[in-house]
């Protein structure tokens, strides 16, 4: 009888969609990211804006979760969340993190590392005001990462804050944006025979240095 583990071991995929060369890649990682993100959006891959966020607690235990990119520029990559969540507490103790985009259909991965800072209150207020009403109420209703006895707690909280704030809930003081300020980017393009293309951009002396890494 075939066991699940042997079935997993037999899974194979040949990566043949594209290539990533030094000549064809941008000299600035932000430009390369913009190109790939635009292609992911235009290709209609599922949730092209989803990224895995990795943080490390004070006891050195790492944790990951999926968040959504909500903006980026030369200052860094932005997402929004509850400051009192596990990731919020871990970032307060260790303000360094890593992000990863995995666009399976395009056989591409982008990895980003750097220091994390909170965005300004003005930026958080502006984004919060743009969210759907249910999402704004949800930011008040969910004590993110805390143990709750059942789902009724969330539903009850949502009803309570919905009645309290009606159509104009303010941004909760425990909710806002983070910005990862990159010092390292990696771009991975799947290739045949597991000889993948992998380019790393490292910030050295204020300039980006591009290097090829073995896959």
């Amino acid at each position: 009888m075939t066991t699940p583990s042997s079935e997993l071991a037999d899974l194979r995929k040949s990566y043949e969609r594209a290539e990533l060369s030094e000549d064809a890649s941008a000299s600035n990682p932000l430009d390369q990211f913009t190109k790939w993100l635009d292609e992911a959006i235009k290709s209609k891959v599922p949730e092209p804006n989803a990224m895995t966020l990795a943080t490390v607690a004070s006891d050195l235990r790492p944790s990951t979760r999926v968040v959504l990119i909500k903006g980026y520029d030369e200052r860094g990559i932005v997402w929004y969340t509850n400051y009192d969540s596990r990731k919020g507490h871990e970032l307060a103790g260790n303000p360094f993190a890593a992000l990863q985009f995995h666009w399976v259909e395009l056989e591409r991965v982008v990895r980003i590392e750097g220091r994390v800072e909170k965005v300004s209150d003005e930026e958080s207020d502006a984004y919060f005001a743009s969210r759907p009403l249910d999402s704004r109420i949800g930011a008040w209703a969910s004590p993110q990462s805390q143990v709750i006895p059942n789902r009724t707690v969330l539903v009850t909280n949502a009803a309570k804050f919905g009645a309290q704030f009606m159509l104009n809930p303010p941004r909760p003081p425990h909710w806002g944006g983070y910005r990862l300020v990159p010092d390292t980017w990696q771009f991975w393009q799947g290739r045949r025979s597991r000889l993948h293309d992998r380019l790393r951009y490292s910030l050295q002396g204020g300039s980006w240095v591009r290097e090829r890494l073995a896959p």
Side-chain angles (χ1 to χ4, degrees):
M1 182 176 179
T2 302
T3 63
S5 59
S6 66
E7 292 175 1
L8 286 172
D10 290 339
L11 290 175
R12 297 284 189 277
K13 176 179 173 59
S14 180
Y15 299 94
E16 303 180 6
R17 288 185 58 95
E19 62 182 48
L20 179 63
S21 68
E22 288 84 345
D23 292 338
S25 62
S27 59
N28 185 299
L30 191 65
D31 294 335
Q32 184 64 37
F33 176 70
T34 297
K35 179 178 183 295
W36 273 18
L37 178 59
D38 287 347
E39 290 177 0
I41 294 171
K42 291 175 182 176
S43 298
K44 299 187 183 302
V45 303
E47 294 196 281
N49 56 333
M51 57 187 184
T52 299
L53 165 65
T55 56
V56 178
S58 57
D59 61 2
L60 303 185
R61 289 181 65 95
S63 62
T64 65
R65 73 287 291 160
V66 176
V67 297
L68 302 178
I69 182 174
K70 291 300 179 181
Y72 72 96
D73 55 26
E74 66 282 351
R75 295 174 297 169
I77 310 293
V78 174
W79 69 95
Y80 292 86
T81 189
N82 188 316
Y83 293 144
D84 291 335
S85 63
R86 177 177 177 177
K87 56 186 169 297
H89 287 294
E90 291 181 351
L91 288 170
N94 177 22
F96 291 89
L99 298 169
Q100 177 171 289
F101 293 84
H102 187 192
W103 298 310
V104 178
E105 292 78 5
L106 300 180
E107 300 173 356
R108 288 172 173 172
V109 173
V110 180
R111 296 164 56 185
I112 314 164
E113 301 174 18
R115 175 178 52 83
V116 178
E117 61 190 21
K118 288 182 178 179
V119 307
S120 67
D121 287 343
E122 291 76 16
E123 289 176 271
S124 290
D125 288 341
Y127 174 69
F128 188 79
S130 75
R131 303 181 86 207
L133 177 60
D134 287 350
S135 296
R136 284 178 281 157
I137 293 297
W140 284 94
S142 175
Q144 194 174 112
S145 299
Q146 296 182 28
V147 175
I148 57 175
N150 49 53
R151 183 173 176 81
T152 302
V153 172
L154 298 177
V155 176
T156 300
N157 284 349
K160 179 184 72 174
F161 287 113
Q164 177 179 344
F165 296 125
M166 302 299 286
L167 298 178
N168 297 296
R171 178 173 64 90
H174 58 262
W175 191 99
Y178 286 104
R179 175 181 289 108
L180 184 142
V181 181
D183 55 33
T184 304
W185 296 72
Q186 284 194 38
F187 295 84
W188 181 97
Q189 176 69 62
R191 297 293 300 275
R192 299 180 68 177
S193 303
R194 296 301 187 264
L195 301 179
H196 312 301
D197 289 328
R198 185 178 172 195
L199 298 184
R200 178 180 66 189
Y201 295 74
S202 302
L203 190 60
Q204 300 180 22
S207 300
W208 290 104
V209 175
R210 181 180 53 194
E211 301 169 301
R212 177 173 289 268
L213 302 181

